[in-house]
Amino acid sequence: MDIRKQAEELLSKMTLEEKTGLCAGESFWLSPALERLGLKAHIMTDGPHGLRKQEQGADHLGINQSLPAVCFPTASAVACSFDRELIERMGEALGDKCVREDVAVLLGPGINMKRSPLCGRNFEYFSEDPYLAGELGAAYTKGVQSKGIGVSVKHFAANSQETNRMTVDSVVDLRALHEIYLEAFHRVVEEAKPWTVMCSYNQINGIYANTNHWLLTDMLRDEWHYDGLVVSDWGAVSDRAAGIQAGMDLEMPGVGPDSAAQLMEAVKSGALQEKELDRSVWRIIELILKMQQEKKPSEYSDESDHELAEKIAVQSAVLLKNDDQVLPLDRAMKVAFIGQMAKKPRYQGAGSSKINAYRLENVCQYAQKTGISFTYADGYAEECSQIDAQLLNEAVKTAEDADVAVIFAGLPDAYESEGFDRDTMEMPIGHVQLIEAVAAANPNTVVVLQCGSPVEMPWREHVKGILLMYLGGEAGAEATVKLLFGEENPSGKLAETWPERLSDTPCASCYPGNGRAVWHRESIYIGYRYYDAAGCRPAYPFGYGLSYTDFQYRELQLLQSDVQGEENEYTVTLMVKNTGSVAGRETVQLYLGKKGDSALIRAPKELKGFSKVYLQPGEEKRVTFVFRDADTAYYNAVCGMWCIEEGEYAVQIGASSRDIRLQGVVYIQGDGKEELLREQKQRLVQYREPASPLRIADGQFLELLGFTPTPETQDAVKPYTVNSTFGDIRDTWIGKMLIKKAVSSAPRFGEDPSMQRMVQAMLYSTPIRSLRMIGDMTWTQAQGIAEMANGHYLKGFCMLKGKK
């Protein structure tokens, strides 16, 4: 029987109590179950760059140990591969592992936009560009789901920071929301049909994502025709009945009978119609039936997947600088490895995605195993926020005695993690001073960077080579050595812009907001869109990456054809040749941009295609792209629809966003609706002519926004509710008591500095309602805490005792 019909039949046999009970998980990682009808509980657990399956001590922050699994490079790294097939293969491997470990849904991929380099979770996201993030997210989804395992595309939507992530209001104008923050999700939904979409913690323009009908129903289901299930992020539910009405189907994790009781009461009171409940229950049944389908026997092998992780790390590494062809190194050279990260690599991020790696080697171990001679110096202490003079002097002496000094530096675990955002783009002072000192001692200095997001590099003009590994997974060491010594050729391209300094970033003045709300003042000017529009020169542009060989682009051809008489289709072809002496891979990028005067605010160009080709020395291949009129569309907030502006568009073929090799022009017929925006463009001077640094005034942003948003304020809103945070109530009697209790229990999280900082940072931004998940409280008891914070001690005490 068809799954949908089977779901309808099972729904018709359920009691109201069974329906409400099916709308929340069985436990922390288990989906709901109804044994009477043969619906069993199945495991839903974290990815996205490996499987984090916990058998004991369940948590959503990566605190407790999980089963060993291959740790692939993180999304910040794999995105630089610009390789759909490679990422789909990674998804297949993860799917096979899930089959073997009896996991039904893998929680990933993360496709939120990299609005600022400071976001602590950027390592888990692909890009600043929605087209690239969408294409790679779709490839990942197809790979995992080809094995009969579901994914959960996250975090929907406008979740680009960790600061106050559970309650902050992301204030975004409608055009930026559609074009930037929703587009990647739209692409994944349309191309890959994910089993589930995970709604985010935050509010969007004043409404929590989990209760946002416009987001979860009007957009996701009605406009995009999504027919899968929406699941909450763990602990994201702010109002269960309102969530059902909005289209948020499944609450995770399970919080006992409390969730079902809320829904039962809402139905009986008439606040929730049973047909609204049925809609979500039907989707949950359908998901469970998908989970229960027989899976193909897994071909999973830890060793083969470790090899795949190495291949991905190799093809994702980005060669940022290579003056005088200092790389690749010759094995006959006297090479010095300097920096503790050569022995203690930073290969993944901290938080819910933290994997218990199957097999981990460091650079020194792998180099020794493969017969490479080198000297070594620590260079800096593990606590690298201060300079260790003795270690620094030892490193300088080691560098002086070498032909080439290779420094391993970046961001330690405690500097970036889920749960908090960075305050600065600076690297630890111990790392910076080491690079400066070694570069002064040895002119042939190479830096290998291990970090999850961009850092400031005041030293970059003083070194000859920079190899960016990002967080390269458990096989990152093998990949690094092979790249340094020329066994492999770097081919990664930056999936995000690397600015010179934090003040150059478009949201530097408004990120991460001042507490209650974060105003996205920069609107559509995110990443390279802003740097191009403002004429701001980055350290390294989007799409940039060097190779040990050279590539020539030639013979651009444009062919136009009609598509069923509705719109034009354009075929772009060019020839790419490897003109160097070694084999290599090149990512060819297609950008489109409106030429001449535009009636609306626009970025100079946008990525609309990419293709990665492998070429032997002297080999030449034809690269083909296809785009349509709709690929030039913009969202018109005045008429509430996607529109096309008439005129000439530049068709640009580049090796990066700043290295355009070939150009052509097409003329596209429009609909004329851009004239509705011409007068507004004239008034919005700061958007029409964006400056660097970008400082958008309140009046300009509010006119663009078109409504009065949540103010940017740090003042706690009273009276307190279950959505108020521990930080809001920190000065109340009950708040002080709860915080004291939480702090006293912190040592049980271990000695990992990233975990310690994450837990401490998240404490004050955690809402009272989260006590349902972490404190085994009911909704009524959480309300009792809020009442006590408001000074209503007797009422609050009664609610804590289970009385209303």
Side-chain angles (χ1 to χ4, degrees):
M1 183 186 296
D2 177 78
I3 282 182
R4 294 192 169 194
K5 291 182 179 179
Q6 189 178 355
E8 289 178 6
E9 183 177 318
L10 291 173
L11 177 63
S12 68
K13 297 177 180 179
M14 293 174 65
T15 66
L16 178 59
E17 184 177 6
E18 288 173 332
K19 292 176 184 177
T20 59
L22 205 66
C23 290
E26 184 86 352
S27 63
F28 204 91
W29 295 121
L30 288 179
S31 69
L34 183 55
E35 293 294 338
R36 183 179 73 83
L37 296 180
L39 299 175
K40 299 178 181 179
H42 297 270
I43 299 172
M44 307 170 70
T45 197
D46 282 318
H49 53 269
L51 182 65
R52 190 176 75 89
K53 180 184 178 184
Q54 295 176 312
E55 291 193 327
Q56 295 179 345
D59 71 87
H60 67 303
L61 299 176
I63 295 168
N64 293 298
Q65 189 66 281
S66 58
L67 295 176
V70 171
C71 178
F72 290 94
T74 65
S76 60
V78 300
C80 297
S81 73
F82 276 72
D83 193 324
R84 298 174 182 86
E85 292 182 5
L86 189 65
I87 293 173
E88 185 168 347
R89 177 68 193 93
M90 173 177 157
E92 291 171 356
L94 289 167
D96 280 334
K97 177 67 170 177
C98 287
V99 171
R100 183 173 179 175
E101 296 294 344
D102 198 27
V103 169
V105 173
L106 188 65
L107 305 179
I111 59 173
N112 293 105
M113 290 296 95
K114 296 187 177 185
R115 181 178 175 231
S116 168
L118 299 182
C119 177
R121 208 168 180 179
N122 271 356
F123 66 84
E124 205 173 326
Y125 302 141
F126 288 121
S127 180
E128 67 190 25
D129 183 80
Y131 174 81
L132 179 60
E135 287 291 295
L136 301 184
Y140 178 103
T141 299
K142 290 175 183 177
V144 174
Q145 295 193 166
S146 70
K147 302 298 181 176
I149 302 297
V151 304
S152 194
V153 182
K154 59 186 185 182
H155 307 88
F156 192 58
N159 172 209
S160 297
Q161 67 184 63
E162 292 298 285
T163 302
N164 299 321
R165 67 175 183 173
M166 297 193 75
T167 57
V168 72
D169 185 6
S170 295
V171 179
V172 194
D173 68 275
L174 281 177
R175 183 177 171 201
L177 194 55
H178 281 82
E179 293 185 17
I180 305 297
Y181 297 99
L182 297 182
E183 181 56 26
F185 289 95
H186 182 198
R187 190 166 290 275
V188 175
V189 165
E190 189 173 72
E191 293 185 9
K193 297 177 174 51
W195 286 13
T196 78
V197 170
M198 182 188 292
C199 76
S200 56
Y201 290 120
N202 55 287
Q203 302 175 63
I204 301 167
N205 293 334
I207 304 174
Y208 278 100
N210 75 96
T211 61
N212 196 315
H213 189 279
W214 175 85
L215 180 72
L216 303 182
T217 295
D218 296 346
M219 289 301 306
L220 182 61
R221 300 191 185 281
D222 296 345
E223 188 166 327
W224 300 352
H225 308 295
Y226 177 64
D227 60 0
L229 176 137
V230 175
V231 60
S232 73
D233 201 343
W234 267 232
V237 171
S238 61
D239 185 320
R240 192 63 192 101
I244 291 287
Q245 292 172 325
M248 203 290 290
D249 306 306
L250 176 61
E251 178 179 10
M252 289 298 290
V255 288
D258 186 50
S259 180
Q262 289 180 66
L263 292 176
M264 181 73 77
E265 183 178 336
V267 171
K268 289 182 176 179
S269 69
L272 177 67
Q273 300 298 311
E274 188 168 356
K275 64 180 182 181
E276 295 174 316
L277 179 65
D278 286 350
R279 181 183 58 200
S280 286
V281 174
W282 178 82
R283 293 174 186 146
I284 294 168
I285 296 171
E286 185 181 34
L287 176 65
I288 296 173
L289 293 175
K290 286 181 182 178
M291 292 173 170
Q292 292 183 178
Q293 287 182 317
E294 186 176 353
K295 308 293 189 292
K296 296 179 181 178
S298 171
E299 299 176 359
Y300 182 84
S301 160
D302 287 322
E303 201 55 42
S304 63
D305 277 17
H306 181 87
E307 293 173 4
L308 176 62
E310 179 190 319
K311 180 179 180 180
I312 295 170
V314 164
Q315 294 194 32
S316 302
V318 184
L319 183 60
L320 296 178
K321 187 175 184 179
N322 196 24
D323 287 359
D324 300 330
Q325 285 73 55
V326 66
L327 294 175
L329 304 176
D330 191 317
R331 283 176 174 248
M333 291 177 169
K334 292 172 62 179
V335 178
F337 288 164
I338 300 173
Q340 284 198 11
M341 284 184 168
K343 289 189 173 180
K344 299 178 181 179
R346 174 105 191 283
Y347 64 97
Q348 66 173 322
S352 61
S353 67
K354 194 161 190 176
I355 306 301
N356 179 13
Y358 157 69
R359 177 160 67 84
L360 180 66
E361 284 186 296
N362 62 50
V363 164
C364 292
Q365 288 172 330
Y366 186 74
Q368 287 174 333
K369 187 169 75 173
T370 54
I372 295 173
S373 297
F374 63 92
T375 54
Y376 173 79
D378 277 341
Y380 47 78
E382 192 163 345
E383 173 48 59
C384 49
S385 59
Q386 296 180 344
I387 301 170
D388 187 311
Q390 181 179 344
L391 293 179
L392 187 61
N393 290 335
E394 290 173 357
V396 168
K397 188 177 186 309
T398 302
E400 287 174 338
D401 294 336
D403 295 326
V404 179
V406 183
I407 299 174
F408 296 82
L411 292 176
D413 275 336
Y415 276 65
E416 60 177 347
S417 167
E418 178 180 353
F420 63 86
D421 296 318
R422 288 190 289 160
D423 300 319
T424 175
M425 280 179 58
E426 295 176 1
M427 291 169 60
I429 187 64
H431 290 213
V432 173
Q433 289 296 316
L434 173 67
I435 296 170
E436 295 282 6
V438 169
N442 189 324
N444 296 319
T445 295
V446 174
V447 176
V448 176
L449 283 174
Q450 300 174 10
C451 50
S453 53
V455 294
E456 292 178 2
M457 294 180 283
W459 42 262
R460 70 186 181 95
E461 296 301 327
H462 306 151
V463 302
K464 281 192 176 180
I466 306 173
L467 179 63
L468 172 64
M469 296 304 297
Y470 273 106
L471 303 180
E474 67 174 46
E478 295 98 305
T480 300
V481 172
K482 289 182 178 181
L483 289 162
L484 287 174
F485 287 88
E487 292 182 50
E488 297 285 358
N489 189 352
S491 62
K493 301 276 190 172
L494 291 177
E496 61 186 319
T497 305
W498 276 54
E500 284 278 9
R501 58 193 66 85
L502 179 59
S503 59
D504 287 345
T505 61
C507 59
S509 67
C510 54
Y511 185 95
N514 295 324
R516 211 134 315 272
V518 52
W519 289 10
H520 291 52
R521 294 173 184 259
E522 73 281 1
S523 185
I524 62 168
Y525 290 131
I526 180 174
Y528 70 88
R529 287 166 167 79
Y530 164 70
Y531 296 103
D532 287 354
C536 179
R537 183 183 178 87
Y540 298 105
F542 176 87
Y544 170 86
L546 300 176
S547 171
Y548 294 155
T549 190
D550 297 302
F551 299 95
Q552 180 189 71
Y553 294 30
R554 67 184 185 89
E555 290 187 15
L556 177 68
Q557 295 182 350
L558 298 175
L559 177 65
Q560 177 179 329
S561 61
D562 291 332
V563 180
Q564 299 179 348
E566 296 179 359
E567 62 174 335
N568 293 311
E569 182 176 87
Y570 307 86
T571 301
V572 184
T573 64
L574 68 143
M575 300 300 295
V576 180
K577 184 177 183 179
N578 182 346
T579 59
S581 59
V582 297
R585 294 176 173 83
E586 173 70 340
T587 297
V588 185
Q589 300 154 45
L590 168 68
Y591 296 89
L592 300 179
K594 177 72 170 58
K595 291 176 66 68
D597 180 51
S598 173
L600 60 140
I601 296 158
R602 301 193 80 137
K605 61 179 174 291
E606 298 175 355
L607 182 72
K608 295 298 178 181
F610 58 90
S611 179
K612 194 166 188 175
V613 292
Y614 178 75
L615 297 169
Q616 292 290 341
E619 185 179 7
E620 188 172 35
K621 287 183 180 178
R622 184 176 300 278
V623 174
T624 301
F625 298 103
V626 176
F627 70 91
R628 297 185 177 185
D629 290 346
D631 290 312
T632 67
Y634 67 94
Y635 186 80
N636 191 320
V638 174
C639 57
M641 60 188 295
W642 288 87
C643 300
I644 297 175
E645 183 178 18
E646 184 167 346
E648 288 187 331
Y649 287 79
V651 179
Q652 302 178 328
I653 301 296
S656 81
S657 61
R658 291 290 177 99
D659 183 8
I660 302 303
R661 305 283 182 89
L662 301 171
Q663 295 196 55
V665 177
V666 295
Y667 190 91
I668 292 179
Q669 297 291 333
D671 49 37
K673 291 184 173 60
E674 66 270 10
E675 294 303 321
L676 297 172
L677 302 171
R678 190 177 292 277
E679 288 187 11
Q680 184 190 59
K681 178 184 176 182
Q682 295 306 309
R683 294 192 301 271
L684 298 177
V685 179
Q686 290 184 300
Y687 291 101
R688 188 177 76 239
E689 301 171 359
S692 178
L694 188 65
R695 302 289 186 268
I696 302 295
D698 287 2
Q700 293 267 291
F701 178 63
L702 292 174
E703 178 171 348
L704 180 69
L705 195 62
F707 63 88
T708 302
T710 301
E712 292 180 303
T713 175
Q714 291 181 324
D715 296 333
V717 177
K718 297 179 181 180
Y720 302 118
T721 70
V722 291
N723 290 323
S724 299
T725 66
F726 288 166
D728 291 337
I729 65 170
R730 64 195 304 172
D731 293 326
T732 67
W733 169 77
I734 188 67
K736 291 177 181 178
M737 186 184 75
L738 288 171
I739 291 170
K740 183 178 180 180
K741 183 177 180 180
V743 170
S744 67
S745 66
R748 66 187 175 87
F749 297 126
E751 299 303 320
D752 187 330
S754 64
M755 290 296 177
Q756 290 282 6
R757 186 177 176 190
M758 177 183 67
V759 171
Q760 291 169 9
M762 291 182 66
L763 174 60
Y764 290 100
S765 63
T766 298
I768 295 170
R769 57 180 156 81
S770 291
L771 290 171
R772 297 172 64 229
M773 179 176 69
I774 61 178
D776 197 27
M777 282 191 175
T778 66
W779 192 268
T780 299
Q781 289 172 323
Q783 289 176 317
I785 296 290
E787 290 294 344
M788 295 181 81
N790 287 319
H792 306 149
Y793 299 112
L794 180 58
K795 182 178 181 181
F797 181 78
C798 290
M799 295 177 82
L800 280 172
K801 292 297 183 180
K803 303 175 183 178
K804 294 188 179 179

